[in-house]
């Protein structure tokens, strides 16, 4: 609170910003286990084993859930017919219920990197994008401390309509047993 005494919060997290397949992949979100009240925040970066990291700014975001605890429900994905060379499309096979705010992709694959978009299915099958183009990935290495994954896709607003998940496999095979 005074800019002089510091208390560690959260744990270690991966931060990276690299070119890949003609785009820049940027992953710099650090999630803390609990809300934090502070006037000053100091970020320590250990870049001893990488090129130096230039920290240009930090944005603090508080996400809250009102009216009770967060709950989740697992749902299978049903593969839809898609032409060769097009991203794989799946219908979320879940009963109608509470609006969905975020989906988390689960798969049996140990390592992958995919671009994902989510659509709401409207009247007469019209698809409306309800997420940006997000990247999901998983890398599992022999050293568990070096494992990394990002599997969440946040929707632009809570959606109660049927959802379609589009996964761009590129030149890789479709994910093994995907579900959300």
């Amino acid at each position: 609170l005074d800019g002089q005494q510091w208390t560690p919060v959260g744990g270690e997290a991966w931060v990276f910003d690299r070119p890949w397949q003609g785009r820049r992949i940027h992953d710099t979100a650090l999630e803390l286990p609990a809300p934090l009240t502070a006037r000053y925040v100091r970020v320590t970066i250990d870049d001893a084993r990488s090129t130096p990291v230039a920290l240009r700014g930090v944005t603090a975001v508080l996400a809250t859930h009102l009216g009770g605890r967060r709950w989740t429900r697992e749902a299978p994905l049903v593969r839809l017919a898609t032409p060769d060379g097009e991203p794989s499309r799946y219908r979320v096979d879940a009963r109608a219920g509470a609006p969905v705010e975020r989906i988390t992709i689960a798969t049996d694959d140990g390592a992958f990197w995919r671009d994902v978009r989510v659509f709401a299915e409207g009247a007469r099958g019209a698809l409306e994008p309800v997420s940006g183009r997000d990247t999901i990935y998983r890398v599992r290495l022999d050293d568990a401390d070096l494992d990394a994954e990002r599997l969440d896709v946040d929707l632009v607003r809570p959606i109660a309509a049927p959802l379609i998940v589009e996964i761009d496999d590129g030149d890789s095979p479709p994910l093994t047993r995907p579900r959300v």
Side-chain angles (χ1 to χ4, degrees), residues 1 18 32 34 56 62 66 68 71 73 78 86 92 96 115 120-121 126-128 134 178:
L1 294 174
R18 303 290 303 171
L32 301 178
R56 293 193 180 100
L62 174 63
L66 300 176
W71 60 272
R73 174 179 290 162
V78 176
E86 294 290 319
V92 176
D115 288 331
E121 189 172 17
L127 297 181
E128 172 194 356
D134 287 319

Side-chain angles (χ1 to χ4, degrees), residues 60-144:
V61 177
L62 174 63
T64 61
H65 300 279
L66 300 176
R69 295 173 33 188
R70 177 180 165 189
W71 60 272
T72 62
R73 174 179 290 162
E74 187 170 317
L77 292 176
V78 176
R79 179 114 191 226
L80 302 175
T82 51
D84 289 340
E86 294 290 319
S88 300
R89 283 198 171 173
Y90 302 86
R91 185 182 77 253
V92 176
D93 194 16
R95 293 184 294 140
V100 176
E101 297 175 350
R102 169 185 288 168
I103 65 168
T104 301
I105 307 288
T107 177
D108 293 346
D109 297 281
F112 62 88
W113 189 284
R114 300 288 193 282
D115 288 331
V116 175
R117 290 186 351 161
V118 181
F119 299 88
E121 189 172 17
R124 295 183 297 276
L127 297 181
E128 172 194 356
V130 293
S131 77
R133 182 177 173 174
D134 287 319
T135 300
I136 61 169
Y137 58 85
R138 174 182 294 142
V139 177
R140 292 203 174 134
L141 302 170
D142 291 338
D143 182 350

Side-chain angles (χ1 to χ4, degrees), residues 5-83:
Q5 296 179 356
W6 302 98
T7 304
V9 295
E12 295 180 355
W14 280 91
V15 174
F16 63 90
D17 182 38
R18 303 290 303 171
W20 185 73
Q21 290 192 349
R23 312 192 289 149
R24 194 138 196 104
I25 302 302
H26 188 74
D27 190 0
T28 56
L30 306 174
E31 294 189 24
L32 301 178
L36 173 68
T37 301
R39 182 170 180 185
Y40 303 95
V41 176
R42 181 173 72 186
V43 177
T44 303
I45 300 173
D46 177 3
D47 58 6
R49 295 179 293 180
S50 67
T51 57
V53 174
L55 182 63
R56 293 193 180 100
V58 175
T59 301
V61 177
L62 174 63
T64 61
H65 300 279
L66 300 176
R69 295 173 33 188
R70 177 180 165 189
W71 60 272
T72 62
R73 174 179 290 162
E74 187 170 317
L77 292 176
V78 176
R79 179 114 191 226
L80 302 175
T82 51

